[in-house]
């Protein structure tokens, strides 16, 4: 797919462009399990590439209410923005050519960025890397799965624990020009039950950095009844899921540590990419 056109600075924000612009479907992302449409969006002379995921194209899941994945993608974006980290591309819920759906700014991954994930020989990750676990690589061989000891990934590990991300795979990480890192595909999030599955376990059990604790304190306040963020989320997830979200934030602040696998749910998604 081509990269999106840059949105020049001005009165129209990426959020407004996505929410108000005219959507034109250009193609389909064929490897996706649900309907993922590559589009352009145009508004007041500006245009950009975007992804449109109509609710009508969602496959039912046994552990999530039908037709709610698009709302969860938007809720994840709201949380990323509230924490001040900008890890998820601008995302809105809007009507489109195939009905209501999630619309997200297209991010073209930079080919110049170094890899954030790797399989290495031996039992130790080496300098600059964090161990996730051993993976079967065939022919009765295993290799150590590692991810970069990268502050961008560390923020994402905290965000995933907050939103209860059930599917953080390597292919969802998009390094962008300028050192930015974006994360995509947040449809299976915010379940009231513990569903955290991720490749970013390298900091499990370690103390949270002060930056993360500050973001969590702000988020805790923003999630109180009557606050704007709590009101927006109440339109996107269920009351039980909103209460569970508050509980996860409180638990992270109470322990002051990165989440560890619960042992009640597969800790690493499959396939991992």
């Amino acid at each position: 797919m081509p990269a999106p056109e840059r949105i020049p600075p001005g009165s129209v924000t990426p959020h407004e462009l996505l929410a108000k612009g005219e959507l034109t479907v250009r193609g389909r992302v064929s490897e996706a399990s649900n309907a993922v449409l590559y589009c352009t969006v145009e508004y007041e002379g500006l245009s950009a590439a975007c992804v449109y995921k109509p609710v009508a194209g969602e496959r039912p899941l046994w552990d999530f209410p039908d037709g709610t994945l698009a709302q969860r993608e938007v809720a994840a974006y709201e949380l990323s923005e509230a924490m001040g980290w900008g890890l998820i591309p601008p995302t809105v819920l809007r009507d489109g050519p195939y009905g209501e759906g999630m619309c997200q700014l297209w991010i073209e991954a930079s080919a110049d960025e170094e890899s954030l994930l790797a399989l290495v020989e031996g039992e130790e990750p080496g300098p600059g890397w964090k161990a996730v676990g051993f993976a079967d690589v065939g022919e009765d061989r295993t290799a150590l799965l590692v991810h970069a000891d990268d502050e961008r990934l560390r923020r994402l590990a905290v965000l995933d624990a907050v939103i209860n991300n059930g599917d953080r795979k390597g292919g969802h990480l998009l390094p962008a020009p300028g050192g930015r890192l974006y994360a995509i595909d947040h449809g299976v999030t915010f379940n009231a039950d513990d569903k955290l599955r991720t490749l970013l376990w390298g900091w499990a059990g370690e103390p949270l950095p002060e930056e993360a604790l500050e973001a969590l304190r702000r988020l805790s306040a923003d999630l109180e009844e009557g606050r704007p963020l709590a009101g927006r989320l109440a339109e996107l997830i269920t009351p039980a899921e909103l209460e569970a979200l508050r509980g996860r934030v409180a638990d992270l602040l109470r322990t002051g540590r990165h989440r560890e696998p619960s042992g009640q749910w597969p800790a690493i998604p499959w396939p991992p990419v």
Side-chain angles (χ1 to χ4, degrees), residues 191-202:
N191 199 296
D193 297 326
D194 183 9
K195 299 283 185 179
L196 184 59
R197 292 196 304 174
T198 175
L199 293 179
L200 304 180
W201 287 116

Side-chain angles (χ1 to χ4, degrees), residues 136-142:
D136 183 357
V137 293
E139 298 180 353
D140 296 323
R141 294 175 57 248
T142 61

Side-chain angles (χ1 to χ4, degrees), residues 3-271:
E5 300 175 39
R6 291 188 178 275
I7 303 172
S11 60
V12 177
T13 66
H15 191 277
E16 290 174 318
L17 177 61
L18 291 172
K20 299 177 181 179
E22 180 179 358
L23 273 180
T24 302
V25 177
R26 302 296 185 183
R28 179 170 181 170
V29 180
S30 58
E31 63 267 24
S33 56
N34 295 309
V36 179
L37 304 178
Y38 177 79
C39 303
T40 53
V41 59
E42 298 186 30
Y43 181 67
E44 294 192 354
L46 299 178
S47 66
C50 62
V51 170
Y52 164 53
K53 298 182 182 180
V55 171
E58 294 178 5
R59 293 193 310 172
L61 299 173
W62 69 270
D63 51 351
F64 287 85
D66 291 351
T68 66
L69 304 191
Q71 290 94 318
R72 295 168 194 278
E73 296 245 28
V74 178
Y77 167 72
E78 292 280 357
L79 263 292
S80 172
E81 292 299 290
M83 296 182 78
W85 288 340
L87 289 167
I88 299 176
T91 309
V92 303
L93 191 68
R94 58 161 293 168
D95 207 19
Y98 298 101
E100 185 178 63
M102 180 278 277
C103 187
Q104 183 176 82
L105 194 67
W106 178 272
I107 301 296
E108 190 73 18
S110 174
D112 298 329
E113 283 282 324
E114 294 183 3
S115 176
L116 297 171
L117 296 163
L119 287 168
V120 299
E121 300 292 338
E123 298 185 356
E124 296 297 331
W129 296 90
K130 304 290 282 189
V132 179
F134 290 96
D136 183 357
V137 293
E139 298 180 353
D140 296 323
R141 294 175 57 248
T142 61
L144 185 63
L145 177 63
V146 299
H147 64 67
D149 188 3
D150 186 300
E151 285 304 309
R152 300 170 300 172
L153 289 183
R154 191 166 192 171
R155 290 173 176 175
L156 187 57
V158 177
L159 176 63
D160 281 343
V162 168
I163 66 178
N164 197 16
N165 193 349
D167 193 34
R168 171 62 69 215
K169 296 177 179 177
H172 301 163
L173 308 176
L174 302 179
R180 290 292 302 269
L181 176 69
Y182 290 100
I184 59 171
D185 286 349
H186 297 98
V188 288
T189 50
F190 294 100
N191 199 296
D193 297 326
D194 183 9
K195 299 283 185 179
L196 184 59
R197 292 196 304 174
T198 175
L199 293 179
L200 304 180
W201 287 116
W203 297 281
E206 292 186 13
L208 289 164
E210 183 58 32
E211 176 200 41
L213 293 171
E214 290 179 2
L216 289 166
R217 293 185 195 107
R218 292 194 305 269
L219 182 59
S220 180
D222 287 341
L223 290 174
E224 292 177 359
E225 287 286 351
R227 298 294 293 268
L229 177 62
R232 293 196 298 273
L233 292 175
E235 299 175 353
L236 299 168
I237 58 178
T238 70
E241 289 166 345
L242 181 53
E243 193 57 35
L245 166 62
R246 294 185 177 112
R248 289 192 297 272
V249 174
D251 285 345
L252 287 167
L253 286 170
R254 176 181 55 81
T255 65
R257 294 182 177 275
H258 283 273
R259 272 289 311 274
E260 296 183 84
S262 68
Q264 300 176 346
W265 182 256
I268 299 175
W270 189 262

